[in-house]
């Protein structure tokens, strides 16, 4: 979910920019207002307009949200769409399969993105992948598999920390990151 001041106005911007409505704006009691969309590259995302529920109050700590990352086959179309709908800029470093885009708001990186390439299984659709911060990546992967999860991508060290991608027993995919100290 992307937090916005006005779900209805942003829904119109999504429509005007080539996105598709999957679930029209609706109230969630007095907690907030939400809607679900599909961007022009096929990735689904949600909008959240806070009411009594403001959203994540804890981030970047073990057991909490850490990062969102768009995986798409058409990063140019994604950049055009998201920078039109939201007050974001797109900063890309690298080229080809190594290119990585950081979505930025007021010069601060808020999410990432990469092109789905041959390193991905061929049936992976465009998606937003959520990363959860963990204290120990390898131990979390082991516990997830003990609980019926499946390792999609085993632990890998990056400049930011050790990451892994897991599917829960129902097939929902998420990532973990053990941040570098």
């Amino acid at each position: 979910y992307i937090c916005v001041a006005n779900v209805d106005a942003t829904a119109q911007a999504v429509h005007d920019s080539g996105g598709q409505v999957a679930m029209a704006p609706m109230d969630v009691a007095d907690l907030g207002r939400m809607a679900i969309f599909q961007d022009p590259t096929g990735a689904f995302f949600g909008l959240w307009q806070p009411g009594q529920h403001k959203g994540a109050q804890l981030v970047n700590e073990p057991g909490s949200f850490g990062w969102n990352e768009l995986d798409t086959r058409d990063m140019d179309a994604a950049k055009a769409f998201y920078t039109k709908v939201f007050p974001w800029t797109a900063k890309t470093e690298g080229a080809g399969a190594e290119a990585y885009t950081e979505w930025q708001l007021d010069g601060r990186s808020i999410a990432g993105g990469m092109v789905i390439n041959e390193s991905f299984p061929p049936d992976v659709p465009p998606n937003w992948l959520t990363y959860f911060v963990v204290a120990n990546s390898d131990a979390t992967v082991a516990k997830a598999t003990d609980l019926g999860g499946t390792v999609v991508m085993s632990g890998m060290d990056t400049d930011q920390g050790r990451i892994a991608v897991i599917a829960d027993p129902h097939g929902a995919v998420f990532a973990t990151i053990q941040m570098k100290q």
Side-chain angles (χ1 to χ4, degrees):
Y1 285 86
I2 299 165
C3 184
V4 296
N6 185 314
V7 164
D8 296 280
T10 308
Q12 186 63 51
V14 167
H15 177 267
D16 294 347
S17 301
Q20 302 297 313
V21 176
M23 187 182 78
M26 62 176 265
D27 290 325
V28 182
D30 65 348
L31 300 175
R33 191 159 172 78
M34 65 175 282
I36 306 291
F37 302 93
Q38 189 173 30
D39 74 21
T41 77
F44 285 90
F45 67 97
L47 297 178
W48 180 255
Q49 177 182 328
Q52 292 297 315
H53 178 63
K54 304 300 180 204
Q57 300 297 302
L58 177 68
V59 297
N60 297 325
E61 296 292 332
S64 72
F65 166 81
W67 187 249
N68 280 318
E69 190 169 77
L70 174 66
D71 297 321
T72 181
R73 288 184 171 76
D74 190 346
M75 186 55 75
D76 289 338
K79 288 182 198 178
F81 174 77
Y82 288 103
T83 59
K84 202 178 294 180
V85 173
F86 302 105
W88 299 354
T89 57
K91 177 184 171 189
T92 301
E93 294 191 15
E98 301 299 316
Y100 192 80
T101 297
E102 291 183 23
W103 303 105
Q104 297 187 329
L105 179 63
D106 298 327
R108 185 175 63 89
S109 294
I110 57 168
M114 68 177 80
V115 172
I116 295 172
N117 59 42
E118 62 279 346
S119 70
F120 287 73
D123 58 341
V124 171
N127 68 88
W128 278 95
L129 181 66
T130 298
Y131 284 73
F132 295 99
V133 178
V134 297
N136 183 308
S137 182
D138 295 333
T140 301
V141 168
K143 183 171 186 175
T145 56
D146 287 347
L147 295 171
T150 304
V151 176
V152 176
M153 185 189 81
S154 58
M156 179 175 86
D157 293 317
T158 70
D159 290 343
Q160 290 72 37
R162 188 160 178 79
I163 64 173
V165 180
I166 302 165
D168 75 12
H170 304 285
V173 178
F174 62 95
T176 63
I177 183 167
Q178 176 183 338
M179 305 294 283
K180 280 193 172 176
Q181 300 298 336

